[in-house]
């Protein structure tokens, strides 16, 4: 019988952090994931082979509100496998007691003509890559396994991004609201430095409250993900908030440019993605909250890319 | 003075060498004591004057330097021309060692010519360091906490975690107190909400401190997320401007937590990269390992996703320093971004303080990045109109806070920002700032901060401009007297151009005098008094004091303004040393001014500070009736404050001050006036003994001064005067309670009286001294401890005996009346048990008696006939002395016997040895009985081996040496008989 402690651990080459140092590694096709399998046991351990498997999957999920309508398309939301491979690390044998390190290197070979998407943690779309180490053991003992996520960053989609500044003006007249006539007067101007953004750089711009009859309570930047699942027959499109960043609090000084500045959060954003089965897009809303809790929202679709 | 008589005992030690005169052989039969020729003895034992050629060298002689350059670098910021050193003044040896340039400036000059690269690096370093002349935040901190207080109830509202479960308190039945307590039970758990209501200011501070502690705890227990949450919640509190008066203090408290957090994060990342060896202080990005960078980046990502603006801003500012790990230019890029971010804060007060915090962090981390400081200030100017916005007004009405009070809340923040900007800033920048303020319509609040933050020299040089600006600014909200107060503060430490001074004062005072509220008025006036004292004459100062009195008298307004009024006085007094005229002018103003201090304790404090300054700065003696009158008044006030409850220390310090004053008073040759001053002073200060003692000393000194002026020959008038002095002392001494001061004053006054030929007075003094001897207690308290009075008493009796030598006998009393009287008192005095004191007195009386039997006394008082002349060596007188000596020696020997019986052989030996010494020095040892006695005493003292061999050996050597002298051959016989005790 097996007794004593046993630790199986996969240590990536680079760091302790969850965001493994693999960001820049998946650029070429033959990029590898490297690391160490760490086995710690008190006594010598018998096993029937150790294997390492890599998997990359896109999980699609329909939002609850859509489920009823689109149940028909159930097939289209089954997980899409991007990569899957398996290597044997050690043949059946014995591991001596103590600490054993088994280094490994795993090539990132895609399945057929599939493309590797960037890691993305969303609500309805999840793109995840993981490594799993399995140790087979005799019938009496349970098999052991550990897994670990690694992050994939794609090669740049474009070599250069030409910023496309966007100016905007918000007045009661520009709003598409039924009650726009009942709204107090205000004039808010501003610009975004670019809507095609580099994901590693912040979103920047300025907003100026030129005048407002009602005091302003808050100005916020709402980063929204728009996830679309489906196929040609039909699709489900859901917009959810990623984060909300307040850039102004209280009745700000009129005529003074307030900076728009937002860092794209890691994991929760990825370069804008469009495939046959799903789409991941991002938008930003400039939200002005008036003192009487009126919300004024100006929406800007973003195009994220990686340089 | 001439009254410094050495004691009879000393005579023995001084005149080692002996000689005889032929006169002695005549009186040999009747005299037991050795005849002395004091002059010859003195001459022989004097050192031979050796002539030493010192040459030109003298260590204290200044090194002569022919070419001296004037010192470089005038006093910092002084506008007055530096005084060039005059050639007649001796040059400072230290500076003259170097040929003009000091080593530091030489190095500076050298480094300037070094390779440009090195020079640049050096300059960079200089830029980075903030010098000691930058007033640190820690100083401001306490000031702000003390200044911005409130009695309103405060509340802390903390959400740990999500904002979802918001539970508002809507008329809950549970009492507030219970609720608070219940909420205390929940810890800072995830999602829990804590709302603490009804906190007093102190409670609030304590809570914040608790949070600070829990932050540290969370950090040390590796709950980094919790730590971050605490910090976020705390910085969120800064957006709450309810109880607005407390906001500056709140800012101070909360930024403390942020500082802690910033330090913790920085230190953690720092330790992460100090793995093989610690990072150097000036590390670069390359020295930082990837793990540390990753962690650091994580913090910034985490903070960038904080939802609310204010916490995001504050927390990022708190860890600004961590940017050093990531990127060389990161700080440079972050500061402007954060500066711009503050624009999003609507509330002007919150924004101003956020800017202050950013400037503070910026100054700490990257003091060379001036641009963002300036940017901050310009943004502040840009948003200034917010202060008068509707929102703010509504808030003030709600909180019932007046506009002026609200505006003062800004001053710490704005002052701090300006201080950062003004620090080592070029003149041009300051001028630009001033212009910008002007453009903003001379906003009073800004102007005030500018005047406070900029260098006083800068402000002083443009004082007229500033006055113009102050006049032009709209008074809405910010009272002008505060502006003039700030201006006055600058002018107090830097001088404006001379030609403008009077105009400045006039303009300022025009405004100040119109201030209605006494409190505001005095706050401002207080500042300007110093300026006035410094630059103007009595007329102006007088006018200002008159104005202050006029303002402060109605409705007893002065009662609330004691601290300010109190500072007015030392301020003007500090100037006394070159403006002493004040006192002479203030005759009609000064005392009324003092009268405003009607609370006793305050008044006494004021009086004390005046006296201190007076004593410190009054160099010359004075007889000016105005000063005397004023000072007497002040001293009387101090004296009258003494009562039964006054502490000893307090009494002592008061007495010292009054004594200091008395010593300053001198009427020159007008001795009678001086005496009557002393009489008056005695009446005024009767409760303070040290003062009375001083008065007696003063009067004694007066008598001696009279004697000096008359060269010892008193006219009838002066004789009467010195007798009056003696009378003064005689009636003052008994009122003292300390027995030893009485004794020593009696003795001293007796000596003075004797020196002034007032024989009966001297007699009376000495008699009085003798008569109070029995009252001397056995123990007295010295510095709070009980100590035996014996040694003091012995000292006194010895010096008393020395005086007795020159006191002529009273014709109506018997021979040696006073000596006998003293010895009788000594006999009757209840000495301590087991004490040899009485016998010691007897032993020391013997040299006196020996000295008295001389033909010519060792010393005498000019124009006073001592016993030597009175009796002229009368055999009867000598036999009286001999009888007395015999009695004394008999008593001493009896005592020695008693000691032998009591087995106190050590004491016996010591006494015997000292008697032996006396006999050796003063008695005529040719007398067989005496020499036998001496030998016996020697043997007795050596009998028990307590004698110090070294002393014995030296004594023997001395005697042998004596035998070389003429007429001392007889001693050689005795030496044969003195044996040294051999210790085997």
């Amino acid at each position: 019988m097996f007794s004593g402690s046993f630790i199986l651990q996969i240590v990536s080459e680079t760091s302790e952090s969850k965001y493994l140092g693999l960001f820049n590694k998946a650029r070429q096709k033959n990029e590898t994931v490297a690391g160490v399998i760490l086995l710690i046991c008190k006594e010598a351990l018998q096993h029937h082979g150790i294997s390492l498997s890599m998997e990359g999957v896109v999980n699609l999920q329909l939002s609850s509100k859509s489920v009823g309508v689109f149940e028909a398309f159930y097939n289209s939301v089954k997980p899409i496998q991007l990569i899957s491979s398996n290597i044997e690390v050690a043949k059946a044998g014995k591991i001596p007691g103590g600490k054993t390190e088994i280094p490994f290197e795993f090539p990132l070979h895609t399945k057929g003509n599939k493309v590797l998407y960037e890691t993305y943690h969303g609500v309805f779309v999840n793109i995840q890559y993981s490594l799993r180490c399995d140790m087979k053991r005799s019938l009496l003992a349970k098999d052991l396994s550990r897994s670990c996520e690694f992050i994939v960053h794609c090669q740049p989609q474009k070599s250069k991004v030409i910023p496309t500044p966007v100016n905007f003006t918000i007045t009661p007249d520009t709003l598409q609201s039924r009650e726009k006539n009942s709204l107090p007067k205000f004039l808010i101007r501003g610009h975004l430095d670019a809507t095609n953004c580099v994901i590693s750089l912040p979103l920047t711009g300025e907003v100026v409250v030129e005048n407002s009859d009602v005091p302003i309570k808050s100005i916020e930047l709402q980063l929204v993900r728009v996830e679309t699942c489906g196929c040609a027959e039909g699709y489900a499109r859901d917009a959810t908030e990623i984060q909300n960043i307040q850039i102004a609090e209280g009745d700000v000084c009129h005529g003074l440019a307030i900076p728009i500045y937002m860092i794209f959060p890691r994991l929760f954003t990825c370069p804008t993605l469009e495939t046959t089965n799903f789409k991941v897009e991002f938008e930003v809303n400039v939200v002005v909250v008036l003192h009487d809790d009126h919300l004024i929202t100006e929406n800007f679709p973003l195009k994220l890319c990686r340089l | 003075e001439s009254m410094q008589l050495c004691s009879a005992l000393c005579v023995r030690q001084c005149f080692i060498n002996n000689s005889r005169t032929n006169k002695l052989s005549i009186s040999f039969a009747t005299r037991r004591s050795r005849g002395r020729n004091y002059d010859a003895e003195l001459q022989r034992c004097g050192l031979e004057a050796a002539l030493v050629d010192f040459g030109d060298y003298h260590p204290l002689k200044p090194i002569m330097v022919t070419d001296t350059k004037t010192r470089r670098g005038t006093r910092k910021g002084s506008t007055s021309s530096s005084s060039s050193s005059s050639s007649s003044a001796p040059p400072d040896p230290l500076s003259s060692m170097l040929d003009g340039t000091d080593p530091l400036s030489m190095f500076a000059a050298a480094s300037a010519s070094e390779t440009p690269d090195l020079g640049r690096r050096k300059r960079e370093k200089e830029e980075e360091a903030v010098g000691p002349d930058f007033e640190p935040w820690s100083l401001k901190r306490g000031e702000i906490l003390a200044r911005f207080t409130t009695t309103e109830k405060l509340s802390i509202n903390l959400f740990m975690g999500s904002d979802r479960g918001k539970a508002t308190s809507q008329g809950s039945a549970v009492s507030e107190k219970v609720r608070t307590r219940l909420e205390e039970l929940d810890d800072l758990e995830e999602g829990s909400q804590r709302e603490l209501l009804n906190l007093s200011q102190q409670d609030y501070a304590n809570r914040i401190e608790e949070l600070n502690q829990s932050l540290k705890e969370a950090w040390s227990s590796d709950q980094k997320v919790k730590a971050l949450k605490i910090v976020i919640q705390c910085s969120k509190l800064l957006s709450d401007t309810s109880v607005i008066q407390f906001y500056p203090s709140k800012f101070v408290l909360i930024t403390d937590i942020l500082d802690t957090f910033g330090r913790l994060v920085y230190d953690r990342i720092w330790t992460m990269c100090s793995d093989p060896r610690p990072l150097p202080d000036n590390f670069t990005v390359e020295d930082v390992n990837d793990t540390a960078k990753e962690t650091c980046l994580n913090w910034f990502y985490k903070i960038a996703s904080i939802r609310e603006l204010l916490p995001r801003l504050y927390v990022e500012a708190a860890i600004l320093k961590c940017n050093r790990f990531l990127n060389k230019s990161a700080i440079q890029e972050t500061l402007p971004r954060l500066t711009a971010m503050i624009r999003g804060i609507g509330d002007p007060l919150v924004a101003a303080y956020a800017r202050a915090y950013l400037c503070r962090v910026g100054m700490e981390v990257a003091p060379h990045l001036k641009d963002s400081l300036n940017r901050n200030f310009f943004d502040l100017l840009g948003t200034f109109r917010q202060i008068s916005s509707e929102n703010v007004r509504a808030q003030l009405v709600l909180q019932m806070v007046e506009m002026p009070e609200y505006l003062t809340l800004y001053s710490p923040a704005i002052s701090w920002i300006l201080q950062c900007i003004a620090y080592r800033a070029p003149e041009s920048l300051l001028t630009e700032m001033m212009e910008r303020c002007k453009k903003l319509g001379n906003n009073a609040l800004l102007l005030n901060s500018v005047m406070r933050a900029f260098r006083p020299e800068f402000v002083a040089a443009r004082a007229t401009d500033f006055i113009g600006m102050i006049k032009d600014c709209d008074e809405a909200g910010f009272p002008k007297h505060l502006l003039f107060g700030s201006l006055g503060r600058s002018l107090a430490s830097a001088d404006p151009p001379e030609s403008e001074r009077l105009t400045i004062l006039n303009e300022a005072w025009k405004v100040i005098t119109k201030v209605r509220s006494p409190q505001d008025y005095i706050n401002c006036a207080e500042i300007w008094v110093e300026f006035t004292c410094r630059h103007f004459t009595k007329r102006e100062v007088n006018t200002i004091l008159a104005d202050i009195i006029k303002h402060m008298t109605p409705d007893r307004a002065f009662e609330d303004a004691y601290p300010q009024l109190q500072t007015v006085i030392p301020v003007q007094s500090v100037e006394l040393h070159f403006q002493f005229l004040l006192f002479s002018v203030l005759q009609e103003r000064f005392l009324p001014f003092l009268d405003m201090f009607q609370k006793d304790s305050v008044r006494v404090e004021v009086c004390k500070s005046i006296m201190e300054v007076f004593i410190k700065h009054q160099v010359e003696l004075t007889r000016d009736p105005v000063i005397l009158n004023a000072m007497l008044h002040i001293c009387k006030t101090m004296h009258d404050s003494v009562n039964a409850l006054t502490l000893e220390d307090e009494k002592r310090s008061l007495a010292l001050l009054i004594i200091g004053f008395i010593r300053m008073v001198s009427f020159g040759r007008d001795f009678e006036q001086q005496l009557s001053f002393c009489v008056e002073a005695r009446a005024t200060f009767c409760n303070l003994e040290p003062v009375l003692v001083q008065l007696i000393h003063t009067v004694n000194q007066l008598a001696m001064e009279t004697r000096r002026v008359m060269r010892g020959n008193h006219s009838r008038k002066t004789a009467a005067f010195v007798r009056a002095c003696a009378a003064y002392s005689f009636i003052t001494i008994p009122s003292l309670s300390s027995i030893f001061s009485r004794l020593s004053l009696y003795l001293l006054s007796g000596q003075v009286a004797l020196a002034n030929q007032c024989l009966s007075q001297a007699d009376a003094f000495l008699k009085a001294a003798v008569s109070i001897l029995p009252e001397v207690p056995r123990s007295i308290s010295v510095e709070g401890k009980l100590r035996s009075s014996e040694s003091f008493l012995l000292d006194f009796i010895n010096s008393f005996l020395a005086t007795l030598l020159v006191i002529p006998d009273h014709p109506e009393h018997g021979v040696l009346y006073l000596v006998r009287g003293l010895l009788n008192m000594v006999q009757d005095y209840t000495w301590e048990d087991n004490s040899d004191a009485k016998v010691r007195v007897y032993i020391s009386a013997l040299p006196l008696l020996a000295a008295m039997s001389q033909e010519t006394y060792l010393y005498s008082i000019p124009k006073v006939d001592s016993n030597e002349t009175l009796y002229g060596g009368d055999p009867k007188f000598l036999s009286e002395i001999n009888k007395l000596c015999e009695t004394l020696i008999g008593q001493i020997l009896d005592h020695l016997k008693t000691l032998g019986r009591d087995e106190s052989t050590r004491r016996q030996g010591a006494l015997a040895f000292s008697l032996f010494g006396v006999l050796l020095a003063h008695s005529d040892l040719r007398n067989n009985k005496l020499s036998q006695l001496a030998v016996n005493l020697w043997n007795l003292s050596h009998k028990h081996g307590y004698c110090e061999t070294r002393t014995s050996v030296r004594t023997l050597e001395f005697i042998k040496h004596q035998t070389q002298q003429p007429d001392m051959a007889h001693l050689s016989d005795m030496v044969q008989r003195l044996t040294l005790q051999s210790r085997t």
Side-chain angles (χ1 to χ4, degrees), chain B residues 240-536:
Chain B
D240 173 20
T241 52
S242 59
V243 195
I244 205 159
Q245 310 90 311
F246 185 63
Y247 192 83
S249 293
K250 182 157 86 173
F251 170 78
V252 168
L253 293 172
I254 288 173
T255 50
D256 280 354
I257 294 190
L258 288 166
D259 290 345
T260 312
F261 178 72
R263 223 173 18 247
L264 289 173
V265 173
Y266 184 85
D267 288 350
R268 174 171 141 81
I269 297 173
W270 196 79
T271 42
M272 283 175 84
C273 18
S274 55
D275 194 11
R277 61 198 146 75
L279 274 185
D281 271 344
N282 52 351
F283 65 90
T284 55
V285 188
E286 290 80 51
D287 300 331
V288 183
N289 63 34
D290 285 344
T291 321
K293 269 184 194 158
E294 194 61 39
T295 315
C296 190
L297 208 57
N298 256 344
W299 277 112
F300 282 110
Y301 269 110
K302 192 101 191 157
I303 288 165
S305 65
I306 296 173
R307 205 192 95 81
E308 275 157 292
L309 173 65
L310 206 61
R312 196 168 64 244
L313 175 75
Y314 269 103
V315 179
E316 185 166 0
I319 65 162
L320 182 69
K321 202 177 172 189
C322 294
N323 277 304
R324 286 183 68 192
F325 296 110
L326 291 181
N327 194 332
K328 205 175 162 214
S329 58
I331 293 179
Q332 214 169 340
E333 288 155 11
T334 312
L335 269 177
R337 180 168 59 76
L338 292 178
T339 304
M341 213 164 132
I342 297 177
R343 292 178 167 198
I345 301 173
D347 190 304
L349 187 67
V350 177
Y353 276 92
R355 288 187 195 286
Y357 184 68
L358 192 60
C359 287
R360 195 181 115 201
V361 176
M363 271 314 259
E364 268 167 35
V365 177
H368 54 285
L369 297 176
K370 293 273 184 197
D371 282 351
S372 64
L373 293 176
N374 297 348
R375 192 69 249 158
N376 253 313
F377 186 65
F378 295 149
D379 272 357
L380 182 78
L381 296 186
T383 54
F384 226 83
R385 56 179 186 272
Q386 290 282 94
I387 288 178
S388 45
S389 72
E390 270 313 306
N391 258 348
V392 172
R393 275 177 208 284
Q395 202 180 13
L396 293 188
V397 169
L398 196 70
Q399 294 199 33
M400 291 185 291
V401 174
E402 295 288 323
M403 199 60 177
E405 192 190 348
Y406 175 68
L407 287 179
T408 56
L409 298 179
Y410 283 88
S411 60
I414 297 181
S415 297
W416 178 260
I417 297 172
L418 280 170
Q419 188 196 332
C420 293
I421 292 175
Y423 179 68
R424 293 192 182 162
E427 198 92 323
S428 56
L429 178 72
L430 303 187
T431 319
E432 192 197 334
M433 295 285 169
M434 217 168 117
E435 288 309 312
R436 287 208 179 221
C437 294
K438 259 187 193 164
K439 266 184 215 147
L440 262 174
N442 285 331
N443 188 291
L445 175 58
L446 271 178
L447 204 54
N448 190 39
S449 300
V450 166
M451 285 191 291
R452 280 181 168 230
F454 286 7
R455 286 191 290 275
E457 299 81 34
F458 176 87
V459 177
R462 293 165 181 72
T464 322
D465 284 354
F466 274 106
I467 287 195
M469 285 161 73
I470 294 173
K471 274 190 184 160
D472 290 344
C473 71
D474 61 281
E475 204 162 352
F478 207 84
K480 277 186 182 169
H481 67 86
L482 286 182
L483 292 173
F484 275 107
S486 304
L487 183 61
R489 210 161 280 142
S490 293
L491 295 182
S493 43
D495 303 337
E498 193 162 0
S499 52
E500 296 169 13
R501 288 175 191 167
L502 189 62
T503 341
I504 292 170
L505 182 65
N506 277 333
E507 291 295 337
W509 206 261
K510 241 187 255 170
V511 178
I512 297 168
T513 193
K514 279 183 203 137
V515 177
R516 281 225 196 81
S517 143
Q519 195 64 39
D520 292 345
Y521 170 82
I522 192 68
N523 278 335
C524 190
E526 166 204 10
I527 299 163
W528 279 86
V529 169
E530 191 175 339
F531 174 72
T532 318
C533 283
R534 215 156 61 162
H535 299 299
F536 298 97

Side-chain angles (χ1 to χ4, degrees), chain B residues 193-219:
Chain B
Q193 181 210 0
R194 281 219 302 183
E195 193 181 11
L196 304 169
L197 296 164
N198 272 335
L199 296 175
S200 74
Q201 189 184 320
Q202 188 54 44
D203 291 342
Y204 195 93
N206 293 344
R207 288 284 167 194
I208 299 285
E209 181 49 36
E210 274 170 32
L211 282 174
N212 205 351
Q213 287 308 321
S214 50
L215 165 68
K216 284 180 193 161
E217 273 164 35
W219 188 269

Side-chain angles (χ1 to χ4, degrees), chain A residues 79-92:
Chain A
I80 307 161
Q81 203 161 51
L82 299 173
I83 192 168
S84 172
S85 53
N86 198 353
I87 48 169
E88 189 172 44
V89 178
K91 288 208 162 66

